[in-house]
Structure formats: structure tokens, C-alpha cells
Amino acid sequence: MPVSPVRADGDGRVTVSLAELLALRGRIGRVRPAPLDSRALPPGQRSSRLYGRGMDYAESRVYQPGDDVRRLDWRLTARSGELHTKLFQEEREGRLLILLDTHAGMRFGTRVRFKSVQAARAAALAGWYAARAGERVGALAFGGSRRLLKPQGGAHGAVVLCGALSAWDAEAGEATEPLSEALARAGRLHGANRVLLISDGWSCDEAARARLRDVAQHARVAVLVVADALELAPAPPGRYPFEHDGRRREIDLQGARERSEFQQALGAGQARLVALARTLGLPWRSIDTAADPLGAVTALLGARPR
């Protein structure tokens, strides 16, 4: 029976806390969006120089046949004795699409919180950043929950995103979906010029390479890998208890070889996703479940710390 998305606020450790996601808005006040640069497709209101109407004056150039005579720069024409036309910058609203991994494997963590909770926190920070930068933000959940939140702008869009993240966490089941299928769904969406993939990498399949390359041809793609501490480095010697589906067992990791093999097996997913991002030349960051995701998220979205 699926878990109902209607529930009390989560604890922020094994379940997503909506109150925490909303409170993350205050963290974005410590960063500022990168300056506008039409060549680099920056966040927020995107500008391109067009020979037409727009919001802001850009420059003037010598008149060319076909130019709108209503846009003549009379002052420069009078000074130079040659007709000049004003050029304006047309503003285009940026759209950020967050691809969020909700597979059952994300519900794991040995430090502070589950990977699923950390992923939701990172997605919420990305949403608040997008709102601050003037972007619309939407999200596509894949794996245990398959949902789509269409892009919305302003603080309202970020609030709606936070609510969706909490609901998706509550309803996520055991269903699986390869990353390639999620990317195919994302590729059928139109309008997003930036994509942020948040995953632990276990859904990464061989077909994901071509699909991710296709998405990257139409949008700037960044990858945030969420991993547990035991997936990133060998654990100290000891006996480690694990619990799954109400069953508890212990793993004895005394020898260096056992600890190394255990770490490699446990971290195979994040290793595949990092390798994929590197191969395609995509910007990526990796965080564990105890880290503050603010720096990684804002770095991937192009923000600068105050």
C-alpha cells in the first residue's frame, strides 16, 4: 500500500521536513546571482542583443536597410551626420528544471540524515536560488515517485517546489526507473534552459550517457551527487549495524581489504555518475549527508558568495 503524502511534518533526518525546506530561503540571502552574460546563458532574466524591441537600451550602430525608423538614434545621427539605429536587449526568463532521484536506495544514511532528505534540501536551495535570480523553477521526480512540477516563478514557485518535495518523499515507493528513462522524459519537456540532476548514481545506466548528452545540447546541465560517508571513503575498523525493512544485521569490517571492498561496492553508484559527468564535461559536485549543500548548489548554479 503506498504511503499517503498527507502527514505531519517530517523529522528532517529520515523524512523530509517541509518547515526546514521553507526556512532554507534565508540561506540564499548570503549569496548573489552571477552577473548577466548573454554569451554564458546566466541565471535569471537572460538578455540577448536583438535588432528589435526590448526592455533595455544596449548600443547604437549605423543604420541598415530594413531597420525600424522608429528606433533611430537622432542624437548620434545629428552628431555624426550618419543615420544610426538603437539596439535593445530583449529579456528572456530563465527556467531551471531539477531532476530528483527518489529511488528507495536514497533512503539510506549513516551520518545525520538520509540521502533522500539531503537531496530534497539541495533541491529546495536550488529553488530558492532560482527565485532570487528571477528564474522559473520546476522539478521532475524519478524512481520511487514519478512526478512533474511545471516551472513556476518567484517565491511562490519555490514554495510550491518545497511542498512537492515533501509530498514526493512521503509517497515514494519501491519502483525503479533507470536514469536514461528519466532523461528521456526530461528531453520531451520544452523551455528549460538549465537542468540540475540530483542523485546518488545508482540509477545510472549505460543508456544514460547518450540521453544526458542530448539534454546537454539544449540546456546547461549540472550534476549534484549525494552520497553517504561510507560510500566516499573506507570506514574505520569495527562492526557496523544495518537495518532494512525491520531486519537488523551487523557487518564486520576489521581488515583494510574488507573495508576497501565494502566502500567500493557501496559507492559504485556515485562513482558511475561522477565518471559520466566527467566524460561529458559537465560541472558536478559531490556532498555527503552531513554536509551543508549550499556551497555545492550555488557553485553549480553559478552564484557568487557575498
Side-chain angles (χ1 to χ4, degrees):
M1 178 180 297
V3 179
S4 171
V6 180
R7 64 173 181 183
D9 194 28
D11 59 14
R13 298 179 63 216
V14 300
T15 55
V16 171
S17 167
L18 176 58
E20 181 185 14
L21 301 187
L22 295 173
L24 289 174
R25 179 180 187 178
R27 303 292 311 285
I28 296 300
R30 302 179 183 179
V31 298
R32 59 184 177 183
L36 295 178
D37 181 354
S38 60
R39 294 170 299 176
L41 291 177
Q45 296 294 323
R46 308 187 180 248
S47 303
S48 61
R49 293 185 178 181
L50 302 175
Y51 300 161
R53 298 183 180 183
M55 296 297 295
D56 300 313
Y57 169 76
E59 62 182 5
S60 295
R61 60 150 169 78
V62 176
Y63 173 84
Q64 296 179 3
D67 285 355
D68 190 342
V69 295
R70 294 173 296 179
R71 298 295 175 181
L72 289 177
D73 187 337
W74 293 110
R75 291 185 178 181
L76 184 56
T77 296
R79 292 198 303 268
S80 65
E82 189 175 11
L83 286 175
H84 280 74
T85 301
K86 290 182 178 180
L87 303 182
F88 293 82
Q89 291 182 331
E90 180 186 63
E91 293 189 347
R92 296 175 177 173
E93 191 173 42
R95 293 193 176 190
L96 170 66
L97 177 66
I98 300 172
L99 299 184
L100 182 68
D101 194 334
T102 62
H103 280 91
M106 294 287 289
R107 296 177 179 271
F108 173 78
T110 62
R111 302 290 191 279
V112 184
R113 57 182 64 88
F114 278 3
K115 291 185 289 185
S116 55
V117 175
Q118 183 73 310
R121 296 173 75 235
L125 282 169
W128 288 119
Y129 172 83
R132 179 177 174 82
E135 289 181 298
R136 287 178 173 268
V137 60
L140 185 150
F142 66 98
S145 178
R146 299 189 186 188
R147 299 288 186 178
L148 172 64
L149 177 66
K150 294 183 178 180
Q152 301 182 55
H156 172 74
V159 170
V160 173
L161 171 65
C162 291
L165 295 172
S166 177
W168 295 346
D169 179 71
E171 71 179 13
E174 299 293 326
T176 60
E177 180 182 13
L179 178 58
S180 60
E181 292 185 9
L183 291 169
R185 287 200 286 138
R188 290 192 290 268
L189 304 176
H190 300 284
N193 42 29
R194 297 211 296 169
V195 175
L196 176 63
L197 169 62
I198 305 177
S199 171
D200 67 352
W202 279 104
S203 61
C204 188
D205 57 329
E206 185 61 32
R209 182 186 304 274
R211 294 280 172 80
L212 192 56
R213 182 186 296 112
D214 290 342
V215 173
Q217 290 178 349
H218 304 285
R220 290 179 59 184
V221 179
V223 178
L224 179 62
V225 183
V226 179
D228 184 76
L230 294 183
E231 297 173 332
L232 297 174
R239 297 180 62 87
Y240 290 85
F242 286 86
E243 185 174 342
H244 178 67
D245 288 339
R247 291 182 294 180
R248 187 181 179 90
R249 59 174 298 187
E250 284 191 349
I251 298 180
D252 190 0
L253 300 175
Q254 299 293 342
R257 179 178 177 181
E258 289 80 2
R259 290 185 285 118
S260 177
E261 291 177 348
F262 180 76
Q263 181 267 319
Q264 292 178 14
L266 203 61
Q270 64 91 22
R272 284 200 304 268
L273 186 53
V274 168
L276 177 58
R278 284 175 169 167
T279 299
L280 297 180
L282 303 177
W284 65 275
R285 292 288 189 279
S286 179
I287 58 173
D288 63 30
T289 57
D292 181 354
L294 178 64
V297 169
T298 55
L300 290 174
L301 296 182
R304 300 184 303 174
R306 286 192 180 279

